[in-house]
Amino acid sequence: MLLIARTKEFNEDQALHQAMLLFWKRGYEATSIPDLLQVMGISRSSLYATFSDKQALYIAALEHYKKTSFNKQAILERASSARAGIQQFFEQHIASAYDISLPGGCFVTNAATTLESPDEKINELIKTSFLNLEQAFCELLEKGRQSGEIDKNTDIQALSYLLLNLHQSINVMAKIGQDQQRAMKMINFVIAGM
């Protein structure tokens, strides 16, 4: 007897994108399997055959977010000037964090602040995301220090960590509806003092 493998009857990227938006809006704990099936437009068997379980789907949604969201980190990597790169990065970040067509804030930040019992894989994904951004800030600031744009006595590590924390706080403030212009003024103040 010849067995023929069934083809998927749904667009996996589209279904994953819908799951990402729901997890982003509600968080892991508050998102149920029936809710996911409804927004993804798939059957329970398709969900388990493709993603294995809710946790694996959540991890896939986080990875999908990192791949499909605007790569703000590339702004830092391509910047010719430390101040200009950081300015452009935060302008894009603030616009994205306050974009009303999205669930609010940043999916990775929301994941870090809402998981009640975080899984080690999820923790590692979040931690790596934060470390990569901090490293990108550090590398750009070091270029600025080498070029003389940033004072040679500046503690680059501390400033990179400050920028990472400002990035995360903007996500939280956007989620609770704080004024977008105040966020930009804060960043301008920090950049002026570098």
Side-chain angles (χ1 to χ4, degrees):
M1 172 181 233
L2 179 66
L3 295 175
I4 300 173
R6 291 186 64 193
T7 59
K8 288 184 184 172
E9 297 173 5
F10 67 95
N11 181 316
E12 188 175 329
D13 282 341
Q14 187 176 30
L16 185 57
H17 187 76
Q18 293 305 314
M20 176 198 75
L21 291 173
L22 188 62
F23 279 132
W24 186 354
K25 181 178 180 180
R26 293 189 183 171
Y28 179 80
E29 306 290 342
T31 302
S32 69
I33 293 292
D35 294 335
L36 288 164
L37 297 176
Q38 183 177 2
V39 299
M40 294 172 76
I42 64 175
S43 68
R44 188 176 291 267
S45 61
S46 291
L47 185 142
Y48 289 116
T50 306
F51 301 104
S52 77
D53 60 19
K54 179 181 167 183
Q55 182 182 31
L57 175 57
Y58 187 73
I59 291 168
L62 279 167
E63 290 171 345
H64 177 75
Y65 172 81
K66 288 175 66 176
K67 279 191 268 185
T68 60
S69 65
F70 178 78
N71 189 357
K72 296 179 301 226
Q73 215 165 294
I75 293 171
L76 300 174
E77 293 162 3
R78 292 188 311 253
S80 58
S81 152
R83 283 189 175 92
I86 291 168
Q87 179 79 34
Q88 187 181 4
F89 171 89
F90 276 104
E91 285 172 359
Q92 179 63 43
H93 174 61
I94 290 168
S96 175
Y98 283 87
D99 184 343
I100 59 170
S101 71
L102 299 173
C106 163
F107 184 31
V108 176
T109 302
N110 293 355
T113 58
T114 61
L115 281 177
E116 293 175 16
S117 53
D119 170 82
E120 195 55 41
K121 282 184 182 178
I122 295 170
N123 269 346
E124 195 56 39
L125 189 65
I126 293 167
K127 185 178 178 181
T128 299
S129 179
F130 291 170
L131 288 173
N132 288 344
L133 180 56
E134 183 181 4
Q135 184 63 35
F137 282 132
C138 190
E139 288 172 7
L140 180 57
L141 290 168
E142 184 57 40
K143 285 180 192 173
R145 186 162 62 180
Q146 295 298 322
S147 72
E149 181 184 10
I150 305 291
D151 186 287
K152 64 179 179 149
N153 297 316
T154 299
D155 184 340
I156 297 298
Q157 296 293 325
L159 185 52
S160 299
Y161 192 63
L162 171 68
L163 294 171
L164 173 67
N165 280 275
L166 290 175
H167 176 268
Q168 300 312 316
S169 70
I170 289 166
N171 291 327
V172 173
M173 294 307 220
K175 192 163 177 68
I176 62 169
Q178 290 294 310
D179 182 28
Q180 181 174 351
Q181 293 308 313
R182 290 182 73 193
M184 203 61 238
K185 283 181 183 177
M186 173 185 69
I187 293 304
N188 290 338
F189 176 79
V190 170
I191 292 170
M194 292 189 329

Coordinates of all heavy atoms in Angstrom, one line a residue, residues 60-99:
A60 N 8.1 29.8 18.4 CA 8.2 30.1 17.0 C 7.6 31.5 16.7 O 8.1 32.2 15.8 CB 7.3 29.1 16.2
A61 N 6.6 32.0 17.4 CA 6.1 33.3 17.3 C 7.1 34.4 17.6 O 7.2 35.4 17.0 CB 4.8 33.5 18.1
L62 N 7.8 34.2 18.7 CA 8.9 35.1 19.1 C 10.0 35.2 18.0 O 10.4 36.3 17.7 CB 9.5 34.7 20.4 CG 8.8 35.0 21.7 CD1 9.3 34.3 22.9 CD2 8.8 36.5 22.0
E63 N 10.4 34.0 17.5 CA 11.4 34.0 16.4 C 10.8 34.7 15.2 O 11.6 35.4 14.5 CB 11.8 32.6 16.2 CG 12.7 32.1 17.4 CD 13.0 30.6 17.3 OE1 12.3 29.9 16.5 OE2 13.9 30.1 18.0
H64 N 9.6 34.5 14.9 CA 8.9 35.1 13.7 C 8.9 36.6 13.9 O 9.2 37.3 12.9 CB 7.5 34.6 13.6 CG 6.7 35.2 12.5 ND1 6.9 34.9 11.1 CD2 5.7 36.1 12.5 CE1 6.1 35.6 10.4 NE2 5.3 36.3 11.2
Y65 N 8.6 37.1 15.1 CA 8.6 38.5 15.4 C 10.0 39.1 15.1 O 10.1 40.1 14.5 CB 8.2 38.7 16.8 CG 8.4 40.2 17.3 CD1 7.4 41.1 17.0 CD2 9.5 40.6 18.0 CE1 7.6 42.4 17.4 CE2 9.7 41.9 18.4 CZ 8.7 42.8 18.1 OH 8.9 44.1 18.5
K66 N 11.0 38.4 15.6 CA 12.4 38.9 15.4 C 12.8 39.0 13.9 O 13.5 39.9 13.5 CB 13.4 38.1 16.2 CG 13.3 38.3 17.7 CD 14.2 37.3 18.5 CE 15.6 37.6 18.2 NZ 16.5 36.8 19.0
K67 N 12.3 38.0 13.1 CA 12.7 38.0 11.7 C 11.9 39.0 10.9 O 12.4 39.6 10.0 CB 12.4 36.6 11.1 CG 13.5 35.6 11.4 CD 13.3 34.4 10.6 CE 12.5 33.4 11.4 NZ 12.3 32.1 10.8
T68 N 10.6 39.2 11.2 CA 9.7 40.0 10.4 C 9.6 41.4 10.8 O 9.2 42.3 10.0 CB 8.3 39.4 10.3 OG1 7.8 39.3 11.6 CG2 8.3 38.0 9.7
S69 N 10.0 41.7 12.0 CA 9.9 43.1 12.5 C 11.0 43.9 11.8 O 12.0 43.4 11.4 CB 9.9 43.2 14.0 OG 11.2 42.8 14.5
F70 N 10.8 45.2 11.7 CA 11.8 46.1 11.1 C 13.1 45.9 11.9 O 13.2 45.9 13.1 CB 11.4 47.5 11.1 CG 12.4 48.5 10.6 CD1 12.6 48.6 9.2 CD2 13.2 49.2 11.4 CE1 13.5 49.5 8.7 CE2 14.2 50.1 10.9 CZ 14.3 50.2 9.5
N71 N 14.2 45.6 11.2 CA 15.5 45.3 11.8 C 16.2 46.6 12.3 O 17.0 47.1 11.6 CB 16.4 44.5 10.9 CG 17.6 44.0 11.6 OD1 17.8 44.3 12.8 ND2 18.4 43.2 11.0
K72 N 15.7 47.1 13.4 CA 16.3 48.4 13.9 C 17.8 48.2 14.2 O 18.5 49.2 14.1 CB 15.5 48.8 15.2 CG 14.1 49.1 14.9 CD 13.4 49.5 16.2 CE 13.4 48.4 17.2 NZ 12.3 48.1 17.9
Q73 N 18.2 47.1 14.6 CA 19.6 46.8 15.0 C 20.5 47.1 13.8 O 21.6 47.6 13.9 CB 19.8 45.4 15.4 CG 20.8 45.3 16.5 CD 20.7 44.0 17.2 OE1 19.8 43.7 17.9 NE2 21.8 43.2 17.1
A74 N 20.0 46.9 12.5 CA 20.8 47.2 11.3 C 21.1 48.7 11.2 O 22.1 49.0 10.7 CB 20.0 46.7 10.1
I75 N 20.2 49.5 11.8 CA 20.5 51.0 11.8 C 21.8 51.2 12.5 O 22.6 52.0 12.1 CB 19.3 51.7 12.4 CG1 18.1 51.6 11.5 CG2 19.7 53.2 12.6 CD1 16.8 52.2 12.2
L76 N 21.9 50.6 13.7 CA 23.1 50.8 14.5 C 24.4 50.2 13.8 O 25.4 50.9 13.8 CB 23.0 50.1 15.8 CG 21.8 50.6 16.7 CD1 21.7 49.7 17.9 CD2 22.0 52.0 17.1
E77 N 24.2 49.1 13.1 CA 25.4 48.5 12.4 C 25.8 49.3 11.2 O 27.0 49.3 10.9 CB 25.0 47.1 12.0 CG 24.8 46.2 13.3 CD 24.0 44.9 13.0 OE1 23.6 44.6 11.8 OE2 23.8 44.1 13.9
R78 N 24.9 50.0 10.5 CA 25.2 50.7 9.3 C 25.6 52.2 9.6 O 26.0 52.9 8.6 CB 24.1 50.7 8.3 CG 23.8 49.3 7.7 CD 22.7 49.4 6.6 NE 21.6 50.1 7.0 CZ 20.4 49.6 7.3 NH1 20.2 48.3 7.2 NH2 19.4 50.4 7.6
A79 N 25.3 52.7 10.8 CA 25.5 54.1 11.0 C 26.9 54.6 10.8 O 27.8 53.9 11.2 CB 25.0 54.4 12.5
S80 N 27.0 55.8 10.2 CA 28.3 56.4 10.0 C 28.7 57.2 11.2 O 29.9 57.5 11.4 CB 28.3 57.2 8.8 OG 27.3 58.2 8.8
S81 N 27.7 57.6 12.0 CA 28.0 58.4 13.2 C 27.2 57.8 14.4 O 26.1 57.3 14.2 CB 27.4 59.8 13.0 OG 27.0 60.5 14.2
A82 N 27.9 57.7 15.6 CA 27.2 57.1 16.8 C 26.0 57.9 17.1 O 24.9 57.3 17.3 CB 28.2 57.1 17.9
R83 N 26.0 59.2 17.2 CA 24.9 60.0 17.6 C 23.7 59.8 16.6 O 22.6 59.7 17.0 CB 25.2 61.4 17.8 CG 26.0 61.7 19.1 CD 26.1 63.2 19.4 NE 26.7 63.4 20.7 CZ 28.0 63.5 20.9 NH1 28.9 63.4 20.0 NH2 28.4 63.7 22.2
A84 N 24.1 60.0 15.3 CA 23.1 59.9 14.3 C 22.4 58.5 14.3 O 21.2 58.3 14.1 CB 23.7 60.2 12.9
G85 N 23.2 57.4 14.4 CA 22.7 56.1 14.4 C 21.8 55.8 15.6 O 20.7 55.2 15.4
I86 N 22.2 56.3 16.8 CA 21.3 56.1 17.9 C 20.0 56.9 17.8 O 19.0 56.5 18.1 CB 22.1 56.5 19.2 CG1 23.2 55.4 19.4 CG2 21.2 56.6 20.4 CD1 24.2 55.7 20.5
Q87 N 20.2 58.1 17.3 CA 19.0 59.0 17.0 C 18.0 58.3 16.1 O 16.8 58.2 16.4 CB 19.4 60.3 16.4 CG 18.3 61.3 16.1 CD 17.8 62.0 17.3 OE1 18.5 62.3 18.2 NE2 16.5 62.2 17.4
Q88 N 18.5 57.8 15.0 CA 17.7 57.1 14.0 C 17.1 55.9 14.5 O 15.9 55.6 14.3 CB 18.5 56.8 12.7 CG 17.7 56.3 11.6 CD 18.5 56.0 10.3 OE1 19.7 56.1 10.3 NE2 17.8 55.6 9.3
F89 N 17.9 55.1 15.3 CA 17.4 53.9 15.9 C 16.2 54.2 16.8 O 15.1 53.5 16.7 CB 18.5 53.2 16.7 CG 18.0 52.0 17.5 CD1 18.0 50.8 17.0 CD2 17.6 52.2 18.9 CE1 17.5 49.7 17.8 CE2 17.1 51.2 19.6 CZ 17.1 49.9 19.1
F90 N 16.3 55.2 17.7 CA 15.3 55.5 18.6 C 14.0 56.1 17.9 O 12.9 55.9 18.4 CB 15.8 56.3 19.8 CG 16.4 55.4 20.9 CD1 17.7 55.3 21.0 CD2 15.6 54.6 21.7 CE1 18.3 54.5 22.0 CE2 16.1 53.8 22.7 CZ 17.5 53.7 22.8
E91 N 14.3 56.9 16.9 CA 13.1 57.4 16.2 C 12.3 56.3 15.6 O 11.1 56.3 15.7 CB 13.6 58.4 15.0 CG 14.1 59.7 15.5 CD 14.7 60.5 14.4 OE1 14.8 60.1 13.3 OE2 15.1 61.7 14.7
Q92 N 13.0 55.3 15.0 CA 12.2 54.2 14.4 C 11.6 53.3 15.5 O 10.5 52.9 15.4 CB 13.2 53.3 13.6 CG 12.6 52.0 13.0 CD 11.5 52.4 12.0 OE1 11.6 53.2 11.2 NE2 10.4 51.6 12.1
H93 N 12.3 53.1 16.6 CA 11.8 52.3 17.7 C 10.6 53.0 18.3 O 9.6 52.3 18.6 CB 12.9 52.1 18.8 CG 12.4 51.4 20.0 ND1 11.8 50.2 20.0 CD2 12.3 51.9 21.3 CE1 11.4 49.8 21.2 NE2 11.7 50.8 22.0
I94 N 10.6 54.3 18.6 CA 9.5 54.9 19.2 C 8.3 54.9 18.3 O 7.2 54.6 18.7 CB 9.9 56.4 19.6 CG1 10.8 56.3 20.8 CG2 8.6 57.2 20.0 CD1 11.5 57.6 21.1
A95 N 8.5 55.1 17.0 CA 7.4 55.0 16.0 C 6.8 53.7 16.0 O 5.5 53.5 16.0 CB 7.9 55.4 14.6
S96 N 7.6 52.6 16.1 CA 7.1 51.3 16.1 C 6.4 50.9 17.4 O 5.3 50.3 17.4 CB 8.3 50.3 15.9 OG 7.9 49.0 16.0
A97 N 7.0 51.4 18.5 CA 6.4 51.1 19.8 C 5.0 51.7 20.0 O 4.1 51.2 20.7 CB 7.3 51.5 21.0
Y98 N 4.8 52.9 19.4 CA 3.5 53.6 19.5 C 2.6 53.4 18.3 O 1.6 54.0 18.2 CB 3.8 55.1 19.7 CG 4.3 55.5 21.0 CD1 5.6 55.4 21.4 CD2 3.4 55.9 22.0 CE1 6.0 55.7 22.7 CE2 3.8 56.2 23.3 CZ 5.1 56.1 23.6 OH 5.5 56.4 24.9
D99 N 3.0 52.5 17.4 CA 2.1 52.2 16.2 C 0.8 51.5 16.7 O 0.8 50.4 17.2 CB 2.9 51.2 15.3 CG 2.2 51.0 14.0 OD1 1.0 51.2 13.9 OD2 2.9 50.5 13.1

